[in-house]
Amino acid sequence: MFKKFWLDTIYALVFILLLGFVVTQAFAFKIFDVFDPIGDAFADMESTDIVFSQLREDPLGEEEIVIVNVGNLNRQGIADLVNIISASEPRVIGMDMFFPDLKPDTLGDLALAYAFSQVENLVLVSKLELPNENESFDSLAVSNELFNQYAETAYANFITGAADQDDIKVCRTFAPKEYAKGELEYSLSIKLAYYMDSVKTLNFLDRNKDVEVINYRGNIFDYGATQAPITYFALDWYQVFDGQFDPELIKDKCVLFCFLGKELGDRQALEDKYFTPLNTHYAGKGHADMFGGVIHANIISMILAEDYIDEMNDNIETIIAIVLLYLNVALFAFIYHSLPKWYDGLTKLIQLIEAFSLFSLGLIIFNVYNYKIDTTWMILGVLIAGDALEVYFGVVKNLFTKEGRRELTELNKL
């Protein structure tokens, strides 16, 4: 009897895993998408978003990074901004924008090139293009050589999961380095962080991870456009021109030029804007909350603070999910045989308690230890175990017994 019980639980586990595989394949081919508007609304949410947007205390302001909004200035205007900021002796200037072609305004191009030539440490963005089967890129777009000759390059690409421009762009992770045309290229955040602290940046790279989770700290002051903590100091283009800043604010700092709207707080600007875990609107992601330049600033802060996020290996998560599933199968099988009248109520109660506990445990571990565990499959296994086991005992197992088949035959005769 004891041996039969454990064989039953193993067969039930195999059945549930096969059932789960069939269901996941159906979802992979989007068979049920038309019936799943709620799932679509939550598709871009992760449980850890709650930690970033609700549970964590607001961090202190970042003192090593200053962000400058270029607005809609032309190249002459950007050149003037660079000249003013450069005079305050920043440690490094990063330009989160492209200058791929020369403009009809030749004087503006020359002025910008001259401004770049006066910057001691300058990084211009590149763009990874044409991904190939070798998990690298066949092309690297850079600014025109007139500007590029005075700078290092570093790519600004983020990992968003968006297939085209109309898709929601959710940025949780980034790649520290990639290969383009066979050459190693670093991300803009890595290059700028290296100028601020080479040792910490090399320590970060020594983690040797292809993809890193961004440990977000906060946003800029944007006149109430978002509810994220105000962590980064941003200067608007007109404030720079009017001298509304202390040069000591710039000296020896990382200054990042980027687009933050026509002016700070511009809620109509959607260019280079992303959804992040700091977004308080989980379902549907109402409005993008962070510009690309601010995301780079968050990554730099993470590196300089050595405050990284680690993740549990996918294989370990899968093993834990299967072990939990089997333990639940064994427990529910015992209840099915010993307390059949209590089966539905007890299993549902146990499932709810387990699912809530797993969800809460994942949040606590992430919040306290910066360690990310994806409990999705664990929770899913717990939630389907009870009903799937009932199907196994009530349908599958009966199909392989004479008594079960005889009952079906008798039903057909009726």
Side-chain angles (χ1 to χ4, degrees), residues 316-351:
I316 297 177
E317 289 174 348
T318 301
I319 292 171
I320 293 174
I322 293 174
V323 170
L324 281 175
L325 175 59
Y326 180 71
L327 292 175
N328 277 275
V329 167
L331 175 61
F332 294 167
F334 174 79
I335 295 173
Y336 184 87
H337 291 298
S338 303
L339 301 166
K341 292 182 179 180
W342 290 76
Y343 182 81
D344 287 333
L346 272 180
T347 54
K348 295 297 186 293
L349 179 61
I350 292 170
Q351 286 171 317

Side-chain angles (χ1 to χ4, degrees), residues 3 106 182 248-249 330 381:
K3 180 179 180 181
T106 303
E248 289 299 315
L249 175 73

